[in-house]
Amino acid sequence: MAHTLPPLPYDIDALEPHISRSTLEFHHGKHHQTYVNNLNALVKDTDLADQSLEQTIKAVAGDDAKLGVFNNAAQVWNHSFYWQCMKPAGGGEPSGALADRITADLGGFTAFVDAFKKAGATQFGSGWAWLVLDNGSLKVSKTLNADNPMVHGQLPLLTMDVWEHAYYLDYQNRRPDYITTFLDKLVNWDFVAANLAAA
């Protein structure tokens, strides 16, 4: 079962002017595709060849001999999830059960925004900022490189890519501006709420 590049859930220019068509052509069409290609090459003719992304990630997590498999599998999963976390005319504040949980677990939406911005801005080098469900409570976290919360017993609900290729063409070195725009203009709260409801 070869892994494939999932299509974007919106037109390639649908996130403009916040994320450009050019960024998505490189980020989705080249970076994400390369992770897919690398993963397929690494698992070909192995016992992982017919495993799902989630099964592969969990099977090789912590195995230094299979770090390449983990990195590429997790990056395929992380990116596929990230595209779903955004939508045209997104952002703003969530409502309903998700908003209630953010208030109960994180102290309110403003506190969430502060924590999420800090997680993204202080992730040294490449990585991801996350909203996760951890032992029944919402938590903001960050991971380095390809690391994924699922291997730490957490359920991902929302992610933001803070690798430079996610924002550099549009924001250069202004990662905080990208983070603010992600929250204000791009977050797909319906997707996040559905992830929480399905937990």
Side-chain angles (χ1 to χ4, degrees):
M1 175 187 72
H3 298 283
T4 58
L5 179 70
L8 290 170
Y10 29 73
D11 291 338
I12 199 162
D13 57 359
L15 302 183
E16 290 187 333
H18 313 301
I19 293 183
S20 66
R21 177 190 186 100
S22 182
T23 288
L24 289 182
E25 285 174 342
F26 278 97
H27 195 182
H28 176 260
K30 298 189 182 299
H31 288 281
H32 196 179
Q33 181 68 68
T34 297
Y35 295 128
V36 172
N37 295 345
N38 288 345
L39 176 61
N40 283 328
L42 287 165
V43 301
K44 184 179 180 181
D45 300 325
T46 74
D47 57 352
L48 297 170
D50 294 322
Q51 300 297 305
S52 70
L53 277 176
E54 291 85 355
Q55 290 170 328
T56 300
I57 291 165
K58 291 176 181 178
V60 301
D63 185 344
D64 289 344
K66 295 183 178 177
L67 183 60
V69 175
F70 175 82
N71 283 340
N72 284 280
Q75 283 292 78
V76 172
W77 194 99
N78 291 355
H79 281 86
S80 299
F81 190 76
Y82 169 65
W83 309 132
Q84 299 287 335
C85 289
M86 299 182 289
K87 69 175 184 179
E93 297 189 28
S95 59
L98 175 60
D100 293 343
R101 288 295 299 275
I102 287 174
T103 296
D105 295 347
L106 299 173
F109 184 70
T110 299
F112 157 75
V113 167
D114 290 345
F116 197 79
K117 284 183 174 181
K118 182 177 180 181
T122 62
Q123 174 54 55
F124 183 76
S126 301
W128 303 81
W130 302 87
L131 176 66
V132 300
L133 192 63
D134 184 16
N135 290 320
S137 295
L138 298 187
K139 177 182 176 183
V140 172
S141 65
K142 60 184 178 179
T143 59
L144 177 65
N145 295 329
D147 198 10
N148 183 291
M150 74 173 73
V151 303
H152 306 289
Q154 301 169 330
L155 177 70
L157 303 176
L158 168 71
T159 197
M160 177 179 62
D161 190 345
V162 293
W163 285 63
E164 281 192 341
H165 62 234
Y167 60 87
Y168 204 83
L169 290 180
D170 300 320
Y171 298 90
Q172 285 78 52
N173 64 333
R174 303 189 314 276
R175 186 191 286 186
D177 291 349
Y178 158 70
I179 294 170
T180 296
T181 301
F182 178 88
L183 289 167
D184 290 350
K185 305 292 186 181
L186 294 169
V187 174
N188 183 353
W189 287 117
D190 293 335
F191 177 71
V192 182
N195 291 333
L196 178 62

